[in-house]
Amino acid sequence: MKYISHYYKKLKVKSIKIAILAVIVSIFFLPSYVSFEHTGNNMFTISLDGVIVGVVNTPEEADKYLREARKQIAGSSQELVLADSDIEAVGSEVLWGKIDPKEQVISNMALVLRENVHETLNRSYVVKINEFMVNLSSKNEVQILLQAALDKYDSEGAGTYKAELLLDPTRELPVLTAHVISDEEAKQQEQVQEAVSMNAGIDAEIATVFENVEPDIEKDFEDYELGLISMDFGDSIEVVEAYLSEEELTGLNEAIELVTKDQETNEVYEVVSGDTLSGISLKTDIPMDKLIEMNDTLEDENSMIRVGDELIIMVPRPELTVVRQEEMYYEEDYEAEIIYVDNDEWYTTDRKTLQEPSAGHRKVVAVVTFENDTKVDQEIIKEEVTYEAVPKIVERGTKIPPTYIKPISGGRLSSSFGRRNAPTKGASTYHKGIDWATPTGTAVVASSGGVVAKAGWGSGYGYVVYINHPDGRQTRYGHLSKVLVSAGQTVSQGQKIALSGNTGVSTGPHVHFEILVGGTQVNPLKYLN
C-alpha cells in the first residue's frame, strides 16, 4: 500500500512537469506570441491619431496595415480620399506577449480614418479652351459639352456631326484633344475597316475609296444637295484627367452656358481703304460713342483714320469657336469690279468717274464659311449670270500729294476753327482759321511747298503771306511782324517765310493760319501731319 502511494506521488509530479513544459512550448511556438530575445523592442503598440488600434511585431508591419486600411475606406470607387493619419509606434521588450490579428488592426485603423476623412477628391476632367478652363466630373460630360457647342450651329439637326476625344500622340503626358467627325465619315471609316478585315489587303481599302469618288462632271443647280458640309472646332482644346474636390467642379448645364454663350471680347479691327468711322460703326454694330470710348486715338466722330490703323472693337463670341461650311444657293444683284485708269499727272487725291456702273444679276451656289454666326469667307463654285454688270470706270492720280505741317514750333492754341463768341471788335464771329499765341518774332515756316501768291499788308490780317500749292490748295499766314518772302517766289516745306507779330485786328502776339480747299477755308487741324 505504501508502494502504491509513493508511485502515484511520483506520477503527479511528472504530470505537473509535463504541463509546465507544454505551456513553455506553446508560448514559444504559437504565432500570437512574441519570443523573447535580447535584441531590443520586439513588440509595438500602435496608435493612430492618438487612438490605440492594436499591437504588432514591427512598425513596418503597422505601415503596411495602414495602407490596407486606406484602400478599405476608399473602396472600389474612382475617388481619391484624403484623411489625416498621424501614426505612432511605442515599442517594448518582453519575454512573451500577445499581438493582435492583422484583420483586427486594419479594421481599427479604418474606423479611425473614417472619422478623420476631411476631403474626397473626385476623378475629374479639366477642359482647357485657349486660356479658358472648366472642370467636369466625367469624360461623358466633356463629350456632352463639346457636342452642345456643335449642335448650336448644326442646321441639319443635332447629331449630324459628333465630337470625339482622342489621345494626343505628340504629348508625353496623357492629353486628350477634340475632333469633329460627321456621320458619313464615320460610316466610311467603318466600311473601310470592314472591307480590309474581310479581304485582308490594301486593295480592298483602295477599292472602297474609289467607290466614294464622284466623277468630275459639270453639275446643274438642282444637283447640289446644299446645306451643312463640314464642321470643326476653331480653338485649341485640351482635356486632362485630374483629382478635384466637389467645390472645384462645374455643373454640366452651367459649363454649357459658359462655353456656348456669347461673351463680349476685345478684338482688333484694321482700317481698310474706303472705311469711315460711321461705316465701321455700322459694319461692327458698335454705336459711335462706344467706338470712340474704346479707342484713345479717337477724339470724336470727325477724327481722322488712315488705312492700316488698328481700332479696338467689342465682338460678341463664345469661348469655343465653331467653324462650319455651308453649301448655299442664292440669287443676287452684283457689282462688277471697278476699272481704274491711272493718270500720272494727277495726285492720288484726284479722281474722275469716266463710266457710271450698272448692277448685274446672277444665280450662285457658294461654299460659305462661318465662325459661329459670323460669315468670314465665301467661294463661288457655280455661277450663272442672268445679265452682265456694267463696271464703273474711274480715272485716278498716281502722284503723292504734298503734306502740311504746323507753321510754328511750340505756341498755344488760343482760338479754334469755327464759330466763336465775343471776338475782338472788327473780327468775324466765324473764325476761318486757327490761332497760336506765341511771342512776337517767332519764326513762321511754309506749311507745304509752293509759290507765294501774296506777301505784304492784308488789312484785318495785318502783314500776311499767301502760298499756292501744287494740289490746288492755298495756305495763309496772318498778323505777322515781318514778311521774309515776295510774291512769285517758290518756297519749300519748312522754309522760313515770316516772323510772328500782332498786326491788323489782333488782341496779342500770335500767328493766324488758314488752309483753303477749292477757295474755301477748312479746319487746318484735319490736314496737318
Side-chain angles (χ1 to χ4, degrees):
M1 193 73 174
K2 185 178 180 182
Y3 173 77
I4 296 173
S5 177
H6 178 71
Y7 172 77
Y8 278 109
K9 188 176 182 180
K10 288 178 64 178
L11 182 62
K12 187 177 181 181
V13 171
K14 189 173 183 180
S15 298
I16 292 172
K17 289 182 179 180
I18 292 171
I20 293 172
L21 181 61
V23 170
I24 293 173
V25 169
S26 65
I27 289 174
F28 282 97
F29 289 96
L30 287 178
S32 60
Y33 286 86
V34 176
S35 60
F36 178 75
E37 296 178 9
H38 289 288
T39 56
N41 295 334
N42 58 356
M43 191 170 70
F44 294 84
T45 301
I46 305 300
S47 298
L48 193 62
D49 296 331
V51 178
I52 295 175
V53 292
V55 178
V56 299
N57 281 317
T58 64
E60 291 75 22
E61 193 173 63
D63 290 336
K64 181 180 177 182
Y65 292 172
L66 180 59
R67 288 195 293 272
E68 291 292 328
R70 284 190 176 280
K71 289 181 182 178
Q72 194 176 99
I73 66 167
S76 59
S77 71
Q78 294 182 330
E79 299 174 346
L80 182 65
V81 179
L82 298 184
D84 293 327
S85 56
D86 184 11
I87 190 169
E88 183 181 1
V90 177
S92 58
E93 186 177 23
V94 297
L95 177 62
W96 64 75
K98 185 177 183 301
I99 62 172
D100 294 316
K102 171 184 175 181
E103 292 74 15
Q104 183 61 47
V105 177
I106 292 174
S107 177
N108 291 342
M109 285 180 167
L111 185 63
V112 174
L113 286 175
R114 283 193 183 94
E115 293 178 355
N116 293 329
V117 169
H118 63 83
E119 189 172 19
T120 301
L121 296 186
N122 304 278
R123 186 180 183 185
S124 313
Y125 290 84
V126 180
V127 182
K128 186 173 183 290
I129 305 168
N130 297 328
E131 300 305 315
F132 171 82
M133 288 192 293
V134 64
N135 305 323
L136 296 175
S137 63
S138 68
K139 185 177 177 181
N140 183 52
E141 284 195 354
V142 175
Q143 290 183 302
I144 293 173
L145 169 67
L146 298 176
Q147 190 63 46
L150 293 178
D151 291 346
K152 181 179 178 182
Y153 304 102
D154 190 346
S155 59
E156 303 297 321
T160 307
Y161 288 83
K162 292 184 173 62
E164 61 177 10
L165 294 172
L166 300 175
L167 195 63
D168 187 347
T170 65
R171 306 291 290 270
E172 292 184 9
L173 297 175
V175 176
L176 298 173
T177 57
H179 296 270
V180 179
I181 185 169
S182 68
D183 286 344
E184 185 178 349
E185 289 172 327
K187 289 177 183 176
Q188 288 178 357
Q189 288 182 7
E190 289 177 5
Q191 289 173 358
V192 169
Q193 290 172 357
E194 203 174 297
V196 170
S197 62
M198 288 176 62
N199 296 288
I202 195 170
D203 292 340
E205 184 174 355
I206 294 173
T208 305
V209 171
F210 276 107
E211 284 176 7
N212 293 300
V213 175
E214 296 183 6
D216 188 15
I217 59 174
E218 180 71 23
K219 286 184 177 182
D220 291 327
F221 283 102
E222 58 271 16
D223 294 330
Y224 290 91
E225 294 183 7
L226 306 181
L228 192 63
I229 60 173
S230 74
M231 291 190 85
D232 202 356
F233 294 120
D235 292 305
S236 171
I237 303 173
E238 294 181 341
V239 181
V240 295
E241 187 179 306
Y243 283 89
L244 303 172
S245 65
E246 194 71 32
E247 294 74 20
E248 295 177 280
L249 299 179
T250 302
L252 179 58
N253 291 335
E254 182 184 352
I256 290 174
E257 184 174 3
L258 287 172
V259 170
T260 62
K261 185 179 179 181
D262 285 345
Q263 312 286 340
E264 294 292 338
T265 306
N266 283 345
E267 291 189 4
V268 175
Y269 177 89
E270 185 174 335
V271 177
V272 298
S273 179
D275 269 345
T276 61
L277 280 181
S278 59
I280 294 172
S281 174
L282 290 172
K283 188 188 299 185
T284 59
D285 197 25
I286 300 174
M288 179 65 76
D289 57 344
K290 187 70 175 177
L291 188 63
I292 295 170
E293 181 185 331
M294 288 188 292
N295 292 273
D296 295 336
T297 57
L298 303 178
E299 295 182 1
D300 53 38
E301 64 275 9
N302 297 317
S303 297
M304 185 179 295
I305 56 174
R306 297 178 176 83
V307 173
D309 286 352
E310 293 184 344
L311 301 178
I312 301 298
I313 59 174
M314 194 76 76
V315 178
R317 53 157 290 181
E319 292 291 351
L320 178 54
T321 296
V322 174
V323 179
R324 72 184 191 279
Q325 288 188 320
E326 293 189 20
E327 205 168 69
M328 305 176 69
Y329 169 83
Y330 56 90
E331 295 187 27
E332 65 173 358
D333 292 332
Y334 73 99
E335 302 286 343
E337 289 189 10
I338 299 174
I339 297 174
Y340 291 103
V341 178
D342 291 337
N343 187 328
D344 295 337
E345 299 300 320
W346 291 2
Y347 289 105
T348 54
T349 52
D350 297 328
R351 295 193 174 202
K352 180 181 178 182
T353 300
L354 303 179
Q355 177 177 282
E356 293 294 341
S358 175
H361 187 271
R362 63 185 175 185
K363 296 188 291 184
V364 170
V365 173
V367 174
V368 184
T369 303
F370 296 88
E371 287 186 0
N372 303 318
D373 285 323
T374 303
K375 179 180 174 180
V376 294
D377 194 20
Q378 172 179 297
E379 179 187 358
I380 294 176
I381 56 178
K382 183 172 180 61
E383 177 184 32
E384 185 178 294
V385 176
T386 310
Y387 51 88
E388 294 280 353
V390 176
K392 182 178 184 178
I393 301 177
V394 176
E395 187 174 9
R396 64 183 179 183
T398 59
K399 291 169 61 178
I400 303 299
T403 58
Y404 293 82
I405 62 174
K406 185 179 175 182
I408 65 167
S409 177
R412 174 179 58 85
L413 183 64
S414 56
S415 183
S416 299
F417 179 85
R419 191 164 299 281
R420 59 184 177 179
N421 297 321
T424 303
K425 184 177 180 181
S428 171
T429 56
Y430 192 88
H431 196 211
K432 297 179 179 180
I434 54 176
D435 294 343
W436 286 286
T438 188
T440 297
T442 300
V444 179
V445 302
S447 179
S448 186
V451 177
V452 177
K454 181 177 180 178
W457 187 258
S459 186
Y461 285 111
Y463 286 108
V464 296
V465 172
Y466 296 176
I467 302 176
N468 292 333
H469 304 284
D471 59 358
R473 296 170 183 170
Q474 185 182 76
T475 53
R476 297 179 179 180
Y477 314 78
H479 307 297
L480 307 171
S481 62
K482 186 176 183 179
V483 174
L484 303 177
V485 292
S486 56
Q489 182 179 342
T490 299
V491 294
S492 58
Q493 185 181 60
Q495 181 178 333
K496 190 174 179 180
I497 58 171
L499 301 178
S500 66
N502 191 26
T503 58
V505 181
S506 174
T507 57
H510 73 284
V511 172
H512 173 85
F513 177 65
E514 296 178 8
I515 295 181
L516 291 82
V517 178
T520 302
Q521 284 93 344
V522 296
N523 186 351
L525 293 179
K526 292 185 178 181
Y527 294 84
L528 298 181
N529 289 336

